[in-house]
Amino acid sequence: MFVSGLNAQKKDLKGYLFAYFEGKGPAEKQEQLRFAVSDDAINWKALNNNEPIIPSKDISNTGGIRDPHILRGADGNSFYMVATDMNTKKNGWDYNPGIVLLYSKNLLDWKSSAIDLEKLYPKKFKDIKWVWAPQTFYDVKAKKYLVYFTVRFNYNLKLDFYCAYANKDFTGFEQEPKLMFSAKDGAIDGDVIYKDGTYHFFYKGNTKDENGKEIKNGIKQATSKKLQGPWKESFEYLDAYADTNTNVEGSSVFKLNNSDEYILMYDLYSSGRYEFQRSKDLYHFTEKTESFTKDFFPRHGSVLGITTEEAIRLQEKWGGVPQKLLTSEDGTFRFKSEENPIIKHKFTADPAAFVENDTLWLFTGHDFEGGQKSYKLKDWLVFSTTDLKNWIEYPVPLKIEDFKWDKTNDAYAGQAIKRNGKYYWYISTNGSGIGVAVADKPQGPYKDALGKPLLTNADCFASTHSWTCIDPTVFIDDNGQAWLFWGNGVCYYAKLKENMIEIDGAIKKIDFEEFKFTEAPWVHKKDGKYYLSYASGFPEKIAYAMADNIEGPYVYKGILNEISGNSNTNHQAILEFKGQPYFIYHNGAIQTNGSSYSRSVCIDILEYNPDGTIKPIVMTTEGVTK
């Protein structure tokens, strides 16, 4: 909602948070608090897969909440939320005596209190029928938070607004609520906003004939120079549906970030739509309505402007925040992985990884987009995580155009490794050779370390086709010797010099019984044994062999990973992170655009048998974050 207080107004607001309750799905789940986020206030994405962020049973007396209203505190860093304490699915519409108050310092963790007006103030609020749609406004003069809401009594059909100041810890009221505003024909769903010395009170009102029968309803407003009135009521309807049979309620007004424009939104509850009109003066609104796009079905809620830092916090807690909001000033993008594939906002392939301290660094290729008919990769990407659930994507660290000697414009598979305080990323192209880039940080940026290929097809003495010099994998043994393996059709290997940018000695090839090598070699070591895994056949499976020496002889041990869903290729990284071995690979599982040419990286558990062999990988949708 509108930000009150000088500190709050200075916030650099980048996006929007929508607090709402759901209008579809299982009845027992509808009257629960949910959040959604948008970068433009029009296109919305539900957080937490549209599941409740707090169970209503934990915060309300009835087990249900409706009409949540969220407000940024005057200090800019605290948040206040109120909601109707009502469970219509359980108790019906006949009676609800209270509201819920919530307070947070971070938007994630909320302290709550439930207020029963009839019990707290039996003299004034005896025989109450409804306490509906509470909202909060910071009173700058009183330096207090005013909570206001609609009340109806059993003995009086009139719907009036009452208000009271919240106590300092936002757990109750300072005093008995008093009448704030009594619209001529009653009103519900009030929302106050302040502009240019005037308080604007938007609400759902109606018009009645001389017999008290309602003949019209819609969104109205009243204005005042004082927060608690007196209010001057306008009898003009603001919403575009007032003269139609379409009913609206739950009006809410908020100011667009970095704009002089305001949004009047409302719930078209009978048709499951949410629409809005625009204004710059809060008196005149656009006649044509606009619709939100959303992946949920909200009922009466409210909107709050949020910062990038707050969006990141929400993402780390619940996921679902649009990527644009999560891109920090330094170009990093934070996202949450809930299952396989672990990255869903773009297509990634050919994973490689290493662990440094408590962080896993993931390096991938980047399939250009979904639905491709051939391989189209122009750059490489880097990600990091400390828990395999919360990830950071960094600005693109390396592009095929960074290698001026390349003639193919194809950014094929690679692998990075740390040595002597530098990070070396060995990449391949589709015919121009294998290059090496270097950086001072794992996230880059990287630059071409040689100005020429490290290896070309001319070095692949046993091959005849042009795409043989691809898929480099690098390994540093316990004695400090670095090795490079690569190839398609033939698996080549060679020593690297200490500087990591020169081949040291002869180039050799791996060969052993049952070795059906296609591409994608990966070398790792465990308990003194060397493991060579690789793509085999086509469509590709991942097979592996073991040896006592890095140069062999290797002994074939079988298929490690079957054909990877919807992808002809397969490419793996094997490593241990925080005591658990993992298998990282790609598939084409993002529907509907995933394919052999639009791939996505996945992670599953890897397990060893007592004799050191590896159990076949079980590829899962759940992944490793559950």
Side-chain angles (χ1 to χ4, degrees), residues 417-419 474-483 500:
I417 199 166
K418 182 180 182 181
R419 181 117 199 211
V474 60
F475 173 79
I476 301 176
D477 209 343
D478 298 335
N479 62 4
Q481 178 61 59
W483 298 82
M500 301 295 284

Side-chain angles (χ1 to χ4, degrees), residues 367 369 371-377 596-598:
D367 283 332
E369 61 184 25
Q372 292 295 310
K373 301 302 181 183
S374 62
Y375 296 109
K376 189 176 182 182
L377 305 92
S596 290
Y597 308 110
S598 301

Side-chain angles (χ1 to χ4, degrees), residues 455-469:
L455 295 161
T456 67
N457 287 340
D459 297 300
C460 301
F461 56 86
S463 302
T464 56
H465 60 269
S466 62
W467 63 94
T468 187
C469 195

Side-chain angles (χ1 to χ4, degrees), residues 43 57 61 83 115 155 182 210 231-232 250 270 273 348 366 378 382 394 421 426 444 511 529 540-541 571-572 590 620:
N43 302 287
K57 64 180 179 61
N61 287 329
I115 295 179
Y155 55 81
S182 180
E210 64 273 10
W231 297 92
K232 181 181 180 181
S270 61
R273 306 200 313 275
T348 52
H366 179 200
K378 303 305 176 189
V382 61
Y394 297 87
Y426 300 86
D511 205 359
K529 297 289 186 181
E540 296 173 352
K541 302 178 181 181
H571 198 116
Q572 78 296 345
I590 290 185
T620 70

